[in-house]
Amino acid sequence: MFIYLIRPAGYQNIKTGGTEMKKLLALVLALVLLVTLAACAGAPATPAPAKENTDSPKSDSPKDTSEAAVSSLQEPIYVSVSCAITGDTPQEGEYVRNTVQYVIDQFNADGGVDGRPIELIIEDDGNTANTAVNVMEKTTADQRIVMQIGPHRSASVLAVETIAKQAGMPFISGGTSKSFYSLDNPYLFRGRACDSLVASIAAKYAIEELGATTVGMIHDTDDYGTGAYDVIAEYVAENYPEVTLIEEGITTGAVDMTGPLLNMANAGVTAMVVYVHDNDAAILARQYKELGLDASMKIVGCSSFANPVYYDLLEEGVGDGIYVVADVSQTNPDTYFAEFQKAYTDAFGVAPETMAAAYHDIAKIACDAIKRAAQTGKITRESVRNALADTSAEALTGNQGSLYVSKTNGMDFIHQCLVAVSKGDGTEYIATVYE
């Protein structure tokens, strides 16, 4: 603190040359010092009058991003991530969280958006629609957040899309259901290949490459599985009217799939498409092998059959020979993926799988859109949505090829998938197929 010496009246006329005058002066100064120290010890300091803050306000309270009232170059740009940290497949959430944070950290290290970092708000949706709704409601209520990554599963996307649309919240999902096209939601974007592409390729491979004239399909009875079946039924009817299609639906989480498998064998199926989640895929593959059906009936599986979660649940070699139509394959010769695979493995000690590779691309798409939205002068939910919708074919490259929004549906960023075959604890790349 500052100590002000208060001069008595007439001080300027006092001479300091004499002894008595020096004693008097010392006594006065001592008294002043004692009074000052007593005041400091016995009473709280009175704050100085508040200075009017003419700078941008700094507060933890939510800000109105509808007008993007932020002028500080260091003010974070907030993005929500909805992923399954708990639930039936917590490994999925771990891959999503790790890879998205990895991309954001790199983006921020490169300067972010004109010096402003992106900050993630990660929420656990448990891979359930009800929890995903809670997350989206929380996200849309927080006016700092300009976009959301996730939720992943199609059923969760269908549950939250109206909330996002009403709030003008752009979000990118890895959900693959064809039913998204009927939603007419300009705030929904997709960062994985749609089932209309993946399921069609699976059916085509079963018929043309494996020579099946009676094709089976086993699928989960949620939107993910039934949506894929609808695609295949329509595709086969239009392109291969001579082929018979046999359907079996299973409940997600079922532990006994011998019935549907034997029904396929008894119907003369020689190749079947399987659209189930990771845990269900492992159970089906084991029982398929135990029944000895691998000798007479081939499987063309969805991306679940390419994931580490699936392989972790199987003894090595059990899944050998199962074909997969997927987002990634560990032996994909693509240079971009090879570099990502090495970097991710070095960073996390495990190889990337579908979720890691796909959400790397999704996070990259998000960073690019936010950076371009800033060029409009305001980073708002609407400017980010517009930037996403305006992503051109020349803009980005990722693990899934060129990342650009479809001019046909204004939603899809991915236009290819891979065909591979299971071997050991991974897949061997066969081909890349484009839409």
Side-chain angles (χ1 to χ4, degrees), residues 4-22:
Y4 297 93
L5 295 180
I6 304 173
R7 298 184 180 185
Y11 177 81
Q12 64 274 18
N13 296 322
I14 296 176
K15 304 293 184 180
T16 61
T19 303
E20 293 300 315
M21 187 57 66
K22 288 181 179 179

Side-chain angles (χ1 to χ4, degrees), residues 18 159 224 278 302 308-309 335 388 394 402 414 425:
Y224 172 67
D278 295 354
C302 63
V309 175
T335 302
L388 286 167
E394 295 77 25
S402 296
I414 308 303
D425 59 356

Side-chain angles (χ1 to χ4, degrees), residues 60-117:
D60 290 332
S61 60
K63 298 173 178 58
D64 182 6
T65 54
S66 62
E67 295 299 331
V70 285
S71 58
S72 170
L73 290 179
Q74 300 305 314
E75 183 74 21
I77 302 160
Y78 292 94
V79 173
S80 173
V81 180
S82 177
C83 61
I85 299 171
T86 61
D88 57 348
T89 54
Q91 303 95 328
E92 289 185 1
E94 183 178 353
Y95 277 110
V96 172
R97 178 174 57 184
N98 285 347
T99 195
V100 172
Q101 188 67 66
Y102 178 80
V103 173
I104 297 302
D105 288 345
Q106 286 187 319
F107 180 77
N108 290 341
D110 290 338
V113 182
D114 299 327
R116 296 175 61 188

Side-chain angles (χ1 to χ4, degrees), residues 64-70 77-78 116 143-147 167-170 187 369-370 372-374 376-388:
D64 182 6
T65 54
S66 62
E67 295 299 331
V70 285
I77 302 160
Y78 292 94
R116 296 175 61 188
Q143 296 301 313
R144 301 173 302 170
I145 298 174
V146 298
M147 71 171 296
M169 175 65 74
Y187 295 91
I370 291 171
R372 285 186 290 110
T376 68
K378 294 180 179 180
I379 302 176
T380 66
R381 294 174 180 179
E382 195 63 24
S383 67
V384 172
R385 191 220 75 83
N386 292 340
L388 286 167

